[in-house]
């Protein structure tokens, strides 16, 4: 049916629902049972977090993608816990309803479960995050089990795991052929280890559908087809700020064009003396 004819969200809906409190992992589990699809967006500061929160987006991810879209690196690998902590704190302060998930960056959890718990505790205690996300399958199961047993909600991430881009030899679709069965096993193992949700990035749509139907926890797709329980995008991709977005990105705005036009108009007004005018001047 057309969007104008869609029924309004109910109070229990994840997207746009009025709960009067923060969304929790229990709400995500209930949405899975209702077969309700929902959106997730990245956020890196208080102002965009407020906009997305007021738009009804139920989960905000402070992604290690900040390495590229905030700090200007060419991959997610260089970003650190100290880089992401203030961004996470800003997103938490800027939102009032969304569940805020913080990425554990490369090198902050791989060494041991104890290292993972130390890093996760900083995000929860110092930044106010409500959950953390980490990448990988069987190799991080001890970390997931330790975090969950310590009371830290964990979101998993399989498929194209950007922190392993050097091992993959580039950004490539994952899970084709026999590797798809390994991904399926990793997904089930992560669920058993206690993960509350699972991101599937750049995997064949048929595999993502199989994983989604086989798990009781929600799946969140990014380049994984339409069958996952939720979809996530980096907000700069969504809004048209990224010069060459990936195939799976749909651009919903032209913020790069808007910024360019506004900057040029401001600069021309300053150069001509048209700004500031009397209405912008104190007496």
């Amino acid at each position: 049916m057309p969007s104008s004819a869609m029924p309004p969200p109910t109070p229990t809906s994840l997207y746009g629902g009025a709960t009067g409190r923060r969304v929790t992992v229990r709400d995500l589990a209930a949405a899975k049972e209702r077969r309700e699809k929902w959106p997730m967006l990245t956020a890196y500061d208080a102002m965009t977090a407020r906009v997305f929160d007021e738009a009804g987006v139920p989960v905000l991810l402070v992604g290690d993608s900040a390495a590229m879209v905030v700090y200007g690196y060419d991959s997610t690998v260089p970003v650190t816990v100290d880089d992401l902590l203030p961004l996470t704190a800003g997103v938490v302060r800027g939102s009032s309803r969304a569940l805020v998930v913080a990425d554990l960056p490369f090198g902050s959890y791989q060494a041991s479960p104890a290292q993972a718990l130390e890093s996760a505790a900083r995000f929860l205690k110092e930044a106010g995050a409500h959950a953390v996300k980490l990448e990988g399958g069987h190799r991080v199961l001890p970390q997931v089990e330790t975090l969950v047993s310590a009371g830290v909600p964990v979101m998993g991430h399989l498929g194209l795991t950007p922190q392993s881009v050097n091992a993959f030899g580039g950004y490539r679709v994952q899970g084709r052929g026999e590797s798809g069965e390994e991904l399926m096993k990793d997904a089930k193992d992560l669920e058993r280890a206690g993960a509350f949700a699972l991101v599937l990035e750049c995997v064949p749509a048929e595999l993502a559908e199989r994983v989604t139907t086989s798990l009781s926890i929600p799946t969140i797709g990014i380049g994984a087809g339409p069958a996952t329980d939720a979809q996530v995008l980096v907000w700069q991709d969504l809004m048209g700020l990224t010069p060459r977005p990936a195939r799976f990105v749909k651009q919903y705005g032209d913020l790069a064009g808007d910024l360019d036009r506004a900057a040029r108009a401001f600069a021309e007004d300053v150069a001509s003396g048209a700004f500031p005018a009397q209405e912008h001047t104190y007496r």
Side-chain angles (χ1 to χ4, degrees), residues 159-231:
L160 174 58
T161 47
Q163 293 174 12
S164 302
V165 63
N166 293 321
F168 290 151
Y171 296 95
R172 304 172 184 274
V173 174
Q174 303 295 312
R176 288 179 172 147
E178 293 182 2
S179 64
E181 296 310 311
E182 182 178 350
L183 188 148
M184 174 69 77
K185 182 178 184 305
D186 281 341
K188 292 180 178 180
D189 286 345
L190 284 167
E191 179 181 40
R192 280 192 289 268
F196 72 87
L198 180 62
V199 172
L200 299 173
E201 181 168 359
C202 288
V203 302
E206 181 271 337
L207 175 61
E209 183 173 7
R210 286 176 54 212
V211 172
T212 299
T213 56
S214 70
L215 298 183
S216 62
I217 61 174
T219 59
I220 304 157
I222 177 166
T228 54
D229 299 299
Q231 298 288 334

Side-chain angles (χ1 to χ4, degrees), residues 22-155:
R22 289 278 185 182
V23 171
T24 70
V25 297
R26 289 173 60 88
D27 295 318
L28 304 188
K32 172 89 173 185
E33 293 180 1
R34 295 193 302 268
R35 299 185 179 180
E36 176 191 347
K37 291 183 177 290
W38 47 273
M40 180 167 85
L41 281 174
T42 62
Y44 314 96
D45 64 87
M47 295 186 74
T48 52
R50 177 182 57 80
V51 172
F52 300 155
D53 193 64
E54 291 179 355
V57 177
V59 183
L60 297 177
L61 171 66
V62 187
D64 58 3
S65 48
M68 295 175 284
V69 300
V70 175
Y71 293 110
Y73 295 112
D74 60 3
S75 77
T76 65
V77 172
V79 79
T80 67
V81 170
D82 287 336
D83 289 331
L84 294 181
L85 280 172
L87 307 187
T88 305
V91 171
V92 172
R93 289 192 292 264
S95 60
S96 61
R97 178 177 179 268
L99 175 76
V100 177
V101 182
D103 253 336
L104 295 184
F106 179 76
S108 71
Y109 62 93
Q110 288 91 343
S112 68
Q115 183 198 34
L117 181 56
E118 180 181 358
S119 299
R122 292 193 66 192
F123 278 104
L124 270 62
K125 291 172 62 110
E126 298 177 34
H130 311 121
V132 299
K133 181 172 76 64
L134 50 72
E135 296 181 0
H138 58 275
R139 71 179 187 271
V140 298
L141 291 178
Q143 284 89 329
V144 174
E145 291 170 350
T146 294
L147 291 176
V148 172
S149 67
V152 179
V154 177
M155 179 180 286

